[in-house]
Amino acid sequence: MGDAIQSSDIFKTDAYVNGKWQPSRTRFDVTNPATGEILAAVADLSRDDVKVAIDAAAAALPNWSKRTAKQRGDILRAWADLMLAESDRLAQLLTLEMGKPLAEAKTEIAYGASFIHWFAEEARRVYGDIIPGHQVDKRILVLKQPIGVAASITPWNFPNAMIARKVAPALAAGCTFVARPSELTPLSALAMAELGARAGIPAGVFNVVTSLDAAGVGKEFCENPIVRKLSFTGSTRVGQILMAQAAPQIKKLSLELGGNAPFIVFDDADIDAAVDGTIIAKFRNAGQTCVCANRIYAQSGIYDEYVAKLTARVAQLRVGEGLGEGVEIGPMITDAALKKVRQHLDDAVEKGATVTTGGKPAAQGGLFFQPTVLSGATAEMRLAAEETFGPVAPVFRFDTEEEVIAMANDTEFGLASYFYARDMARIIRVMEALESGMVGINTGLISTAEAPFGGIKSSGLGREGSRYGIDEYLEMKYACLSI
Ligand code: ADP
């Protein structure tokens, strides 16, 4: 199956700059995390090459931003339609370079395309205001204009959708764009560029700069005054670096950073539904999403029942290569990721947690790890404070609502949180008290193009998706008109 993809016309290994495929003197390998097999040698652009891409985006800006919103939207729609038409091959490519199960890869392609469709429509709804004047001869006009050239840095865990969520609102707003995909998963981004070209995105409007030099490209995006906006998804550590680097130019940033999501199951919850929700919120992408449940809190009255039911379900999850039939848990992305999972697990067991299922490297070896449930988790364990980013579900016990809210909020992060309960007054109290940008109530899956995705506290700045998402790529201008 891999060979067929490698000879297909969406398999691109050069960078995409100013409407052309750009080779480079040096290249870097992209490997399949399930097998260690090298999939491609991709162009490794230098910081100077990235400058050229930024210049191309600047040159393309006047024409693109002056088109009507409908013209831009039509191209975006055609792009998303092509992605859906090619979703089988895009999903295979994504699974090969990233490892997630093919079914999840297909869902990601549909999810990415849904943002492009959404912002194709939102392009036409960038409304301004006319405000009654403060003096009889004054009228106050508010207009929204594209911010200019925008850039993105994205991680490996959603190689398609993380880019789609950023480029779609940018292009809809009239911005042009330079994307730097993760060095671990550039092939999905390059395939998107190919389909974008087919859909009619003009040269220079969407550029993909593949490079091993993440820090150098990050500096260029921050220091080059042509770039007016940088949107980053990744760790809080790198988000802090970028924010500091962007400070001298007061550059606009969107930051979607780490999370440490609590998942709370109250005594009055539907336990079976809560177990279903946990499987999605914890084990999707083998636990490698920023909104993954990291700390599961179960109330004393249902603790044993919940742990038993969760354990039974998790024990049945099928581990394997993402392209395999019925596989639910793929490999970890890298050795470092696997090592962190093992360290968190060992630390928890040392401090008194009990493994109820899993807990070991999976039979497949390599980067595969068994989906794991831990009972008896406590606040002293590393996994209470840090994102594990793997298939380990630690269950903490709590007695009262006040206690669990305090525990849930006892973190520098505030991206997603989840809880299961039936009592309506409790649902409202807890929804309001949780310190996070997003709350899933009786559901473990909250991401959708219609809703504002983003975090508070150290989880970031700005929102992606919804009618608010396009504002990240617009500047508001107020004009005072004297008549
Ligand atoms: P993760 O742990 O999810 O990989 P990172 O923040 O390390 O999160 O990586 C997210 C993205 O940021 C990746 O594309 C990575 O290459 C890139 N990156 C890493 N270090 C830097 C840096 N110093 N400046 C800019 N981008 C960086």
Side-chain angles (χ1 to χ4, degrees):
M1 196 183 264
D3 289 348
I5 274 288
Q6 276 157 336
S7 55
S8 85
D9 54 8
I10 59 163
F11 191 86
K12 300 289 178 188
T13 61
D14 287 338
Y16 188 69
V17 175
N18 202 18
K20 295 192 189 68
W21 295 103
Q22 185 180 319
S24 70
R25 264 180 292 117
T26 55
R27 306 184 79 84
F28 62 92
D29 288 339
V30 178
T31 57
N32 179 344
T35 61
E37 170 206 5
I38 294 174
L39 297 167
V42 168
D44 183 13
L45 298 197
S46 67
R47 189 168 165 178
D48 280 344
D49 295 328
V50 173
K51 229 177 246 165
V52 171
I54 293 168
D55 287 341
L61 183 66
N63 179 287
W64 182 250
S65 61
K66 285 197 171 57
R67 294 188 186 207
T68 66
K70 180 171 186 306
Q71 286 168 337
R72 290 195 299 269
D74 286 347
I75 291 175
L76 287 172
R77 196 171 309 108
W79 189 19
D81 289 346
L82 277 176
M83 273 171 51
L84 292 179
E86 287 286 359
S87 83
D88 283 348
R89 292 197 301 167
L90 289 171
Q92 277 175 35
L93 187 62
L94 201 160
T95 291
L96 282 172
E97 68 174 344
M98 195 265 133
K100 70 175 61 177
L102 190 60
E104 284 190 34
K106 277 193 190 156
T107 307
E108 178 179 340
I109 302 300
Y111 176 71
S114 77
F115 278 83
I116 302 179
H117 275 141
W118 171 264
F119 285 109
E121 295 165 1
E122 285 301 289
R124 298 170 80 180
R125 285 182 261 285
V126 176
Y127 300 127
D129 286 315
I130 298 175
I131 301 173
H134 55 302
Q135 291 162 348
V136 286
D137 66 331
K138 296 291 191 304
R139 301 294 180 272
I140 294 171
L141 279 58
V142 178
L143 52 152
K144 292 185 182 171
Q145 296 178 304
I147 190 162
V149 173
S152 71
I153 298 175
T154 47
W156 49 267
N157 61 347
F158 290 88
N160 175 294
M162 289 301 110
I163 295 172
R165 283 202 327 198
K166 299 176 191 307
V167 67
L171 266 53
C175 297
T176 54
F177 204 82
V178 182
R180 184 217 172 252
S182 166
E183 67 280 9
L184 300 172
T185 58
L187 300 173
S188 295
L190 295 170
M192 286 172 78
E194 167 63 21
L195 296 180
R198 285 188 213 167
I201 297 178
V205 171
F206 176 48
N207 307 275
V208 178
V209 291
T210 48
S211 174
L212 263 191
D213 182 13
V217 177
K219 279 213 178 91
E220 186 60 32
F221 286 163
C222 291
E223 291 170 9
N224 189 324
I226 295 172
V227 176
R228 303 288 288 275
K229 162 86 194 188
L230 174 59
S231 179
F232 171 74
T233 298
S235 62
T236 297
R237 182 187 68 82
V238 174
Q240 286 163 339
I241 293 173
L242 294 173
M243 201 167 179
Q245 284 176 181
Q249 291 179 17
I250 322 289
K251 189 160 298 195
K252 262 217 189 188
L253 290 175
S254 293
L255 300 172
E256 204 263 274
L257 308 176
N260 180 5
F263 186 108
I264 307 168
V265 186
F266 286 99
D267 280 344
D268 62 327
D270 175 337
I271 303 302
D272 294 323
V275 169
D276 289 344
T278 313
I279 297 294
I280 296 170
K282 175 71 249 182
F283 291 97
R284 190 164 62 102
N285 209 5
Q288 303 174 110
T289 90
C290 50
V291 291
C292 267
N294 199 53
R295 300 167 290 154
I296 300 171
Y297 296 102
Q299 203 161 7
S300 319
I302 50 84
Y303 188 91
D304 292 339
E305 181 191 353
Y306 170 78
V307 170
K309 286 184 167 170
L310 180 65
T311 299
R313 276 289 294 283
V314 171
Q316 283 168 8
L317 289 174
R318 264 189 71 184
V319 179
E321 234 181 280
L323 295 179
E325 190 66 31
V327 163
E328 293 157 298
I329 303 283
M332 300 286 90
I333 187 72
T334 56
D335 279 326
L338 180 64
K339 200 168 149 207
K340 186 175 185 194
V341 169
R342 300 195 63 164
Q343 284 172 346
H344 277 198
L345 187 62
D346 292 347
D347 170 77
V349 169
E350 211 168 276
K351 291 176 180 156
T354 306
V355 174
T356 63
T357 183
K360 296 193 193 71
Q364 287 79 358
L367 299 177
F368 291 92
F369 198 81
Q370 291 178 340
T372 300
V373 177
L374 288 175
S375 68
T378 61
E380 293 69 41
M381 297 171 183
R382 271 185 70 187
L383 44 67
E386 296 170 37
E387 219 175 359
T388 304
F389 234 65
V392 177
V395 192
F396 301 69
R397 185 189 291 268
F398 73 94
D399 291 313
T400 67
E401 188 180 307
E402 296 70 31
E403 179 194 359
V404 79
I405 286 170
M407 291 195 291
N409 289 341
D410 184 20
T411 167
E412 65 177 296
F413 298 106
L415 190 58
S417 55
Y418 307 86
F419 68 94
Y420 277 70
R422 283 202 181 98
D423 179 80
M424 199 57 203
R426 163 177 282 161
I427 285 176
I428 291 172
R429 279 194 308 271
V430 176
M431 174 186 76
E432 290 177 353
L434 287 172
E435 294 173 358
S436 64
M438 299 174 280
V439 189
I441 306 166
N442 296 326
T443 177
L445 190 62
I446 54 179
S447 306
T448 176
E450 288 82 355
F453 188 105
I456 62 170
K457 296 159 80 176
S458 296
S459 290
L461 297 173
R463 294 294 181 269
E464 293 186 321
S466 82
R467 69 191 171 98
Y468 303 107
I470 201 163
D471 289 339
E472 304 283 325
Y473 297 90
L474 293 165
E475 288 285 22
M476 195 184 284
K477 181 182 280 172
Y478 144 56
C480 185
L481 175 67
S482 180
I483 53 174

